Amino acid sequence: MFDPVKFILRLVYFYSRLLGALNFEIDLRTGRGRITRRASIYAAAANVMIFSQLILLSNSELMHTMWLKAGVLPEYLYLVIHTTRLSCVSVTLLSRWWQRRRLIELINALSRLAFRKPEVTRMWRHRVVIKCLSILLSEVFQVILTLFVFQRLMTVYMAVSIIMLYALTALVNVIISHIYFINVNVYCHYCLLNRELKAVLVAARSLEAEPGLRTTRMSRYFTLTDQLEDIARTQSQLQSLLQCSSRIFGIQSLCVSAITYISVMATIYFTIIGFNVTKAIPSWKYVNLLLFCETFFYFADVVITMDNLYIVLDVHGEMQSLLQQFSTLAPGLDSRFEMAYESFQLQLVRNPLKFKLYNLYKMDRSTAVAMFSSVIRHSLYLVQYEVQNRSK
């Protein structure tokens, strides 16, 4: 039976292999990664071709046209965006080589966890579909809008340059999708752990009020203690995997953050300026619709990507709240059970879950709000600069 989610994941995998973003193979049956000579040789050749395309793009007709027109702010901003994206692609492709073994170990660890709890693969289905749709629609409308804007200057070579440029910058979305998928896996495992933790809490409360033989109660507490200790071990593994992921994707996440900051700022600027321009030019009335669609799906993709990070922090906080409810149980129920949940609480307190980029800043909602306010402020500066220059 056809499974659209498996098809999407395989498509992303083969697309990553095709572009050289993955320099190893993944067994599609087991989900285990391994280094092979064939994968290494092909990835090296693909990386060389991509770097060659970067050189060709720098001398392409598109870039020459942009530099000739770069006397105004929009062209400069357009060049900054794509230069930043291409720099991110270059850094990422290079970092994938020295981080290859760590990335394979991370993928294999996630595969082992998914093998133990296969229901995880059913939980992240809708998130995978939503992410792929947001990426696809955002990129499609962006390409169409670019081709429409440059239609008067369009030649065959320029069209090829535009397609080649967006094929390369699409690698940024491939990079983000790898980080996204790892976080989705961890989030779903956390949801399962919270579900199991609630079941343990409910069972402990029922034992608290249930009269019965001491041996029977001790046997059931023994089972609950084993379950609680297993939850604590799995949570520790998940947090270790998140820390490993932040080290592996640290440089890439920093580049993606810079790209997102500049791109969101430019999108707000282009949207405001674009609507004013298209009002004055009746022949560009369809640009408004394309601009609206491209802006809508781009911001939807940004929100989906950022939310994927914060929901992990949310389920971790929910786990801490559930553990605090264990303190409401009557004392003296079972010493080993009490030691298990106290040890679990101490584990979470001693090792809090935080996302940091090289200790530069924390990645949480307060930081996101501060960055968004900064983006809005700088976007308005750009709009004000554009209005002042046009009025002169």
Side-chain angles (χ1 to χ4, degrees), residues 32-315:
R32 301 294 181 87
R34 64 182 184 274
I35 297 175
T36 62
R37 182 178 299 177
R38 177 180 59 183
S40 299
I41 293 174
Y42 176 80
N47 290 171
V48 171
M49 289 181 62
I50 286 174
F51 288 127
S52 301
Q53 288 184 19
L54 296 179
I55 297 173
L56 292 174
L57 274 174
S58 64
N59 295 318
S60 66
E61 184 180 353
L62 173 65
M63 289 302 172
H64 284 304
T65 304
M66 292 299 297
W67 279 117
L68 289 174
K69 290 173 61 64
V72 290
L73 184 59
E75 282 72 24
Y76 276 126
L77 198 55
Y78 188 87
L79 287 171
V80 168
I81 292 170
H82 288 288
T83 301
T84 307
R85 285 190 173 187
L86 295 177
S87 301
C88 174
V89 169
S90 304
V91 170
T92 299
L93 293 179
L94 291 174
S95 68
R96 287 294 170 94
W97 288 99
W98 75 72
Q99 298 281 9
R100 179 164 62 167
R101 291 191 179 277
R102 287 184 178 179
L103 184 55
I104 291 175
E105 291 173 0
L106 176 62
I107 291 173
N108 291 343
L110 288 172
S111 298
R112 287 192 294 269
L113 285 173
F115 181 77
R116 286 172 50 195
K117 297 181 178 180
E119 58 268 32
V120 168
T121 58
R122 296 191 296 270
M123 296 176 63
W124 43 249
R125 294 174 64 87
H126 69 285
R127 290 191 172 272
V128 171
V129 173
I130 291 172
K131 177 61 179 174
C132 290
L133 284 176
S134 66
I135 290 176
L136 179 63
L137 293 173
S138 174
E139 288 297 320
V140 166
F141 279 106
Q142 194 172 12
V143 172
I144 294 173
L145 183 61
T146 303
L147 293 173
F148 193 89
V149 170
F150 283 95
Q151 61 178 334
R152 294 184 179 180
L153 303 171
M154 189 61 63
T155 63
V156 175
Y157 296 108
M158 182 175 288
V160 172
S161 298
I162 290 173
I163 293 172
M164 186 165 43
L165 178 65
Y166 279 108
L168 288 174
T169 54
L171 267 169
V172 176
N173 289 325
V174 173
I175 297 163
I176 295 173
S177 68
H178 295 167
I179 304 172
Y180 180 91
F181 184 67
I182 289 172
N183 287 339
V184 163
N185 268 273
V186 174
Y187 165 74
C188 293
H189 279 290
Y190 257 104
C191 289
L192 284 178
L193 291 182
N194 285 345
R195 191 184 304 171
E196 294 172 4
L197 197 58
K198 288 177 183 177
V200 171
L201 180 61
V202 170
R205 282 177 174 167
S206 65
L207 278 176
E208 183 181 15
E210 179 183 329
L213 295 175
R214 179 178 175 82
T215 54
T216 305
R217 289 165 59 87
M218 288 181 62
S219 175
R220 294 183 64 180
Y221 270 119
F222 184 80
T223 303
L224 293 178
T225 302
D226 286 342
Q227 292 176 2
L228 195 57
E229 290 176 345
D230 183 63
I231 293 171
R233 281 193 298 269
T234 306
Q235 188 278 330
S236 179
Q237 292 175 9
L238 289 173
Q239 192 157 337
S240 297
L241 291 177
L242 281 174
Q243 292 171 350
C244 179
S245 174
S246 65
R247 289 192 296 268
I248 293 172
F249 295 106
I251 296 177
Q252 299 162 48
S253 299
L254 195 60
C255 292
V256 168
S257 298
I259 289 172
T260 303
Y261 187 94
I262 295 174
S263 298
V264 171
M265 181 176 64
T267 301
I268 296 173
Y269 165 78
F270 283 132
T271 301
I272 296 174
I273 297 300
F275 276 115
N276 290 330
V277 170
T278 51
K279 285 179 182 178
I281 306 176
S283 61
W284 278 29
K285 59 182 179 180
Y286 296 109
V287 175
N288 276 338
L289 179 61
L290 291 173
L291 191 60
F292 173 79
C293 293
E294 192 274 331
T295 303
F296 175 80
F297 288 113
Y298 176 75
F299 275 103
D301 183 55
V302 171
V303 170
I304 290 169
T305 303
M306 295 179 68
D307 181 66
N308 182 60
L309 177 67
Y310 302 139
I311 56 176
V312 177
L313 296 173
D314 290 341
V315 290

Side-chain angles (χ1 to χ4, degrees), residues 365-380:
R365 284 191 172 86
S366 60
T367 304
V369 171
M371 289 182 66
F372 186 71
S373 63
S374 176
V375 166
I376 295 293
R377 185 170 61 253
H378 287 96
S379 301
L380 294 178

